[in-house]
Amino acid sequence: MPYSAQSLLVVFALTTFQFFSAHAAAPVADTLLYPDERHFANVQQLTFGGDNAEAYWSPDGKGIVFQRTSVKDGVPCDQIFYGQTPAAGEAFNFRMVSTGKGRTTCAFFTHDGAHIVYASTHLGADSCPPPPDRAKWGNRYIWPVYASYDIFITDTLGKTHRRLTNTPGYDAEATISPDGKQMVFTSMRDGDLDLYVMEMESGKTKRITKDLGYDGGAWFSPDSKQIVWRASRPKGAAAIAEYKELLAQGLVAPTQMEVWVANADGSNARQVTSLGGANWAPNFTPDGRIIFCSNHEYPRGFPFNMYLMNVDGTGLQKISRDKGFDAFPMFSHDGKKILFSSNRNNGGTRDTNVFMADWAGE
């Protein structure tokens, strides 16, 4: 989540895809379902055109929230949208629930499904914040952690917007525990990109990670007792110096990340993947496993596909097969359906859309 949403790397994926698609030897045929995607059935495309990502279910499965950029529709940078889950064959109708100002990311439902938390820069300026100058960093992929991001809560009509964080620096990538008691999010309030847990009733906040590096995109387990997240851990003097230099300018290079698991209070933290590359957007499945996205199979850094594994990192299974970008998976709470974002079936464009499928099991 965050750019997750819980989001965060959709721009990375799209940027990489744009580079490699321009140099591809042959186009990839459009499809909703690839032959080896045996876990999916009745795939339904929900959005058509633009960049649509971080789509997540309401607890009852009746609503979907996601972020969207569509310049032709007057949405120049990500805003948050909500719609009711369509029946098979029905169109997905949605409406904006963020303010329409600034840039937003990382939307997530509260446990009652009546409200949505998300991050936004709109208090900093009405306009979209400027993208980073990648030429200064050898045109490598970097993403900004805008200091103007704070976390807000709104209703599903987008009529009220209440601020939940009010500290200097980046606050984003929030998700809510299934029991509704806590919110986990990423913040730079103490000088590094760390995870914090906020008690929803009191607002009391505690930092739960401390190692140098980016910690983000955290999710709670179904019983609210554990969290899973993505993290970078720069090693060696040069890597540490570069990380600190980028961070001092409000930037991160999120190309080396692994999946971590801990208790909800941050104790017993452990790295559960050692795959290399970018392993990110992890969350728990209803049966207690982990689903996540990765480019570890591809030395060039692309495509991204989705994988399942046990909570200890064993039993790795590849479940998606697009040659571009499959990411941001989330199961419905009953485990019967899955949402994800993908470059598939985009007519050779650079569009990323939201897809819904029945989960066909093992």
Side-chain angles (χ1 to χ4, degrees), residues 14-284:
L14 292 172
T15 301
T16 312
F17 181 48
Q18 290 165 11
F19 175 82
F20 285 113
S21 62
H23 296 78
V28 177
D30 281 347
T31 184
L32 291 177
L33 181 68
Y34 292 96
D36 292 334
E37 292 178 332
R38 60 184 177 84
H39 296 290
F40 305 151
N42 302 317
V43 180
Q44 184 172 347
Q45 185 169 342
L46 301 187
T47 64
F48 296 83
D51 294 332
N52 305 272
E54 294 200 61
Y56 304 127
W57 303 98
S58 61
D60 62 6
K62 295 180 179 179
I64 296 170
V65 66
F66 67 106
Q67 65 190 42
R68 172 178 174 82
T69 293
S70 180
V71 175
K72 68 180 179 62
D73 295 321
V75 186
C77 61
D78 284 335
Q79 294 294 325
I80 304 301
F81 291 80
Y82 165 85
Q84 292 188 324
T85 304
E90 288 185 351
F92 178 48
N93 298 309
F94 48 86
R95 59 177 178 270
M96 187 185 296
V97 294
S98 53
T99 65
K101 300 176 181 179
R103 179 186 288 274
T104 67
T105 191
C106 311
F108 203 81
F109 284 98
T110 56
H111 77 295
D112 61 2
H115 294 85
I116 295 163
V117 295
Y118 70 100
S120 177
T121 67
H122 71 266
L123 294 184
D126 289 354
S127 59
C128 301
D133 182 2
R134 294 189 175 94
K136 292 175 61 176
W137 298 92
N139 290 316
R140 60 183 296 192
Y141 181 71
I142 52 176
W143 56 258
V145 285
Y146 297 117
S148 53
Y149 264 128
D150 272 301
I151 299 170
F152 298 82
I153 188 168
T154 185
D155 56 272
T156 56
L157 295 175
K159 288 187 175 181
T160 61
H161 299 268
R162 179 166 61 91
R163 190 178 185 181
L164 296 181
T165 61
N166 187 14
T167 56
Y170 179 84
D171 290 314
E173 307 177 47
T175 61
I176 306 292
S177 59
D179 63 14
K181 295 180 179 180
Q182 297 186 98
M183 178 177 76
V184 63
F185 64 100
T186 297
S187 177
M188 261 195 69
R189 63 188 62 192
D190 292 319
D192 195 12
L193 288 164
D194 280 298
L195 295 180
Y196 294 75
V197 170
M198 176 187 290
E199 294 179 1
M200 294 300 290
E201 184 173 340
S202 68
K204 182 180 178 181
T205 300
K206 176 186 176 182
R207 179 179 173 182
I208 62 170
T209 59
K210 61 181 181 180
D211 293 333
L212 182 71
Y214 161 64
D215 294 280
W219 290 62
F220 287 93
S221 59
D223 63 6
S224 301
K225 294 181 178 180
Q226 296 186 83
I227 56 169
V228 62
W229 76 99
R230 59 190 177 223
S232 71
R233 293 290 182 262
K235 303 295 183 183
I240 290 171
E242 181 184 74
Y243 174 79
K244 290 181 176 180
E245 183 181 3
L246 281 164
L247 199 60
Q249 300 182 46
L251 301 168
V252 170
T255 54
Q256 297 293 321
M257 295 185 296
E258 299 291 349
V259 177
W260 286 64
V261 172
N263 296 331
D265 62 1
S267 63
N268 193 28
R270 63 237 186 238
Q271 182 178 328
V272 296
T273 63
S274 297
L275 297 172
N279 302 279
W280 57 287
N283 63 81
F284 287 97

Side-chain angles (χ1 to χ4, degrees), residues 311-335:
V311 74
D312 62 359
T314 61
L316 187 69
Q317 300 179 55
K318 185 176 184 177
I319 64 168
S320 76
R321 301 285 173 168
D322 191 66
K323 302 301 182 183
F325 179 70
D326 288 324
F328 301 114
M330 183 185 181
F331 281 95
S332 58
H333 288 252
D334 61 9

